[in-house]
Amino acid sequence: MTDDEGSDEEDGSSDVDLSQLALEEIRLRYQEESDRRTSVESKIGTVLTVDAIIVSVVSIFSSLNIMHYAAMAVALISVFNGISALWVRDYHRPGLDEEDYLQYIDDPPEPVRRELVKSYLTVITGNEETDDPDMFFKGNRTRNDEKMAKLDQCLKLTAVSLTLILIHPIPEIIQSTGLLEYLI
């Protein structure tokens, strides 16, 4: 055994299949985007529940003022925004249709792994750089980024709605105490 052979065995580089390693890594990236989608959709669902509670509780009041109506309107805008984010269903899956995998049975593993890595990358990043409208599609990462932006908007709208509910007595207090005449 030469010195070169011994060093390869010691660091394990002779056992590493880089194509398999690349495939495993890109599968992890795909799974991260899938988990991210689930997480964002769950959070949007929670915000929608809070908005529904806001609208339900505020509508119970018998003496609604402009702040109550504004709070309900903002919560309803948040609901519509959240529903539009959840409406997106066109996520892509890597690889071929299930029945088309039979073509890989007799192929050597490296080209198959290469095609799978390309498929995973395309699904994650999309084909957004193309000028051909027939080839264009958004990747799962872009879809998730759009959902995250909608979630952020929903959170801000819900915060505004809650703020309006909390400050609703201020105009009545100002009017009942005559503070407005004093300030003018």
Side-chain angles (χ1 to χ4, degrees):
M1 174 157 66
T2 67
D3 290 337
D4 290 338
E5 290 173 345
S7 64
D8 281 348
E9 289 175 9
E10 288 173 9
D11 66 10
S13 63
S14 64
D15 297 335
V16 174
D17 183 353
L18 296 178
S19 65
Q20 182 64 33
L21 185 64
L23 182 57
E24 288 172 14
E25 182 63 26
I26 200 65
R27 280 182 182 154
L28 287 173
R29 298 284 185 242
Y30 175 79
Q31 188 59 44
E32 286 172 357
E33 284 303 320
S34 181
D35 293 346
R36 187 171 166 231
R37 171 189 179 187
T38 303
S39 174
V40 170
E41 288 178 351
S42 174
K43 290 175 184 178
I44 289 173
T46 301
V47 173
L48 291 176
T49 302
V50 170
D51 289 332
I53 290 170
I54 289 171
V55 171
S56 298
V57 169
V58 170
S59 65
I60 293 173
F61 295 122
S62 60
S63 60
L64 296 176
N65 65 22
I66 190 72
M67 299 292 247
H68 290 116
Y69 290 119
M72 287 193 302
V74 171
L76 287 173
I77 292 169
S78 177
V79 167
F80 289 123
N81 200 20
I83 289 172
S84 71
L86 293 176
W87 200 266
V88 175
R89 299 264 184 231
D90 58 344
Y91 280 83
H92 303 285
R93 292 179 37 218
L96 304 171
D97 292 331
E98 285 79 12
E99 58 271 0
D100 293 333
Y101 277 99
L102 291 175
Q103 76 182 18
Y104 288 145
I105 288 177
D106 296 324
D107 292 346
E110 286 78 16
V112 172
R113 287 186 197 127
R114 180 177 180 78
E115 287 303 312
L116 286 173
V117 167
K118 286 175 20 182
S119 178
Y120 273 101
L121 281 171
T122 303
V123 163
I124 292 169
T125 61
N127 194 7
E128 299 173 27
E129 302 297 321
T130 184
D131 293 332
D132 183 0
D134 293 334
M135 298 292 291
F136 176 85
F137 71 92
K138 292 181 180 180
N140 292 354
R141 181 179 298 144
T142 301
R143 296 277 184 210
N144 288 336
D145 289 345
E146 290 170 351
K147 283 189 179 200
M148 284 292 282
K150 292 275 191 177
L151 171 62
D152 188 50
Q153 292 170 1
C154 288
L155 288 170
K156 289 175 182 174
L157 289 167
T158 302
V160 168
S161 181
L162 287 171
T163 302
L164 288 169
I165 291 170
L166 293 174
I167 66 171
H168 87 276
I170 292 176
E172 294 170 3
I173 293 170
I174 291 173
Q175 187 177 21
S176 67
T177 60
L179 187 60
L180 187 60
E181 289 85 22
Y182 177 76
L183 292 174
I184 296 177

